[in-house]
Structure formats: C-alpha cells, structure tokens
Amino acid sequence: IQILLEDKQIALVRWNPGPLPAGGCAVGLELTTSEVMIIMAVPTEEDPVYKYRLFFRWIPAQRIWTKRMDRRSRFGRIVIPGEPAADFLQRQIEGEVIRGCLQIREPNSGGGEQSMIELRNGNVLHFNALPDPRGTKPPAAELDLEVKDAAQKLIFLPTSRS
C-alpha cells in the first residue's frame, strides 16, 4: 500500500456507506493519476486477531480518458447536478499529497483493524474498522475515519454516513 500511495495526490474522496454485500462500507480515494484506492471495512469470522478487517482494493488508471475525466484532473471536483457537494471531510482531504501509510498491528477497542495515512500537510487519516452501531445480524462493519492535524488534535470525526 505504501508503494502504491506514496507521493500521490488525492483528487476525489467518495463515500459508500453500505451495506456492501460482505456487510461493510467503503471509502474511495481517487488520485490525480486516475488510480483509485478503495478501503473497505468488513466483518470477519476467520481471523483470530480481528473481528473487523480493512481491505484495500487498488484499481489502476483507466487507459481511456473522457472529456469529464480530463476536466476533473485539471480543475478538481466538478459539481454535477443531482450529485451531493463535497462535505467538510472531503474538502479537508481532496488535493492533499500522501506522505506515507502505516498498518497498526493491534486491534482497536472494537476488535477492528486500523490503518493510518499521513498527508504532506501533517494531517493524518486514521481508518478504523468497527462494529456497525446498529447491531445488525449478521454482523456488519463500519468504517470510521478521523482526520488529525500535525499535533494529533482531532479535526473531524464523521458520524455514520447514510
């Protein structure tokens, strides 16, 4: 993940609050190179350490460029009628350059996996796979994302996206 993301700029952030088929949710980081990193939180029963895991899915850049993709890569987020405008968290992340990534080996308080992405401006994206607060059966996972500044002061902690 470090090799794929290091020194890349985040163009767009997309939320998928789920539920996904595996019982989780996801966030997509589209880079200015048109590559996409999808980070999913899903429940797992097979893992002896984690109850909820983070899965990373890399989608390479498309070889076909449309006019819309070209405009978006040059001018940033394009407002499309019917599509929601960028929220506060998306505005904090979009346009930032990724400095590095860190997989945290210990589970969080909910028994989930954790990962961090450090941005060049000193902010840190902290991803947590947590149990869905709605207590669904079968178990579902929620992806919790915190943005902290260089002094590790919490900037924004989103609530469940619906």
Side-chain angles (χ1 to χ4, degrees):
I1 296 168
Q2 174 78 22
I3 294 168
L4 295 172
L5 292 178
E6 190 174 17
D7 293 326
K8 302 269 177 91
Q9 185 176 20
I10 300 169
L12 293 169
V13 179
R14 300 274 187 198
W15 311 125
N16 185 342
L20 298 173
C25 56
V27 61
L29 303 177
E30 184 175 338
L31 307 174
T32 54
T33 57
S34 292
E35 298 160 312
V36 179
M37 175 61 75
I38 298 175
I39 303 165
M40 297 173 279
V42 295
T44 181
E45 296 176 2
E46 297 86 28
D47 196 298
V49 178
Y50 302 108
K51 295 178 188 172
Y52 304 92
R53 297 290 313 257
L54 292 174
F55 288 96
F56 296 83
R57 172 81 165 98
W58 181 253
I59 300 174
Q62 302 297 311
R63 298 193 184 274
I64 299 172
W65 276 75
T66 64
K67 288 181 184 179
R68 179 177 168 197
M69 291 167 68
D70 184 47
R71 270 197 349 251
R72 188 174 63 214
S73 70
R74 288 188 288 144
F75 304 115
R77 181 180 285 273
I78 300 168
V79 178
I80 300 169
E83 212 177 274
D87 64 22
F88 177 79
L89 187 57
Q90 288 168 315
R91 290 192 304 269
Q92 295 297 312
I93 300 170
E94 291 176 357
E96 296 299 331
V97 176
I98 296 169
R99 177 183 287 165
C101 304
L102 174 67
Q103 293 295 116
I104 300 170
R105 297 290 177 208
E106 296 179 20
N108 58 33
S109 60
E113 189 173 12
Q114 307 175 71
S115 182
M116 297 173 78
I117 294 178
E118 184 181 0
L119 304 176
R120 230 190 233 138
N121 67 359
N123 291 349
V124 176
L125 307 178
H126 189 172
F127 296 90
N128 279 294
L130 295 169
D132 190 323
R134 297 173 289 223
T136 57
K137 299 287 182 198
E142 179 170 291
L143 180 63
D144 189 35
L145 172 60
E146 298 174 352
V147 179
K148 296 182 179 181
D149 66 11
Q152 292 296 298
K153 185 180 82 182
L154 188 65
I155 297 174
F156 187 76
L157 172 64
T159 57
S160 180
R161 304 192 187 292
S162 49

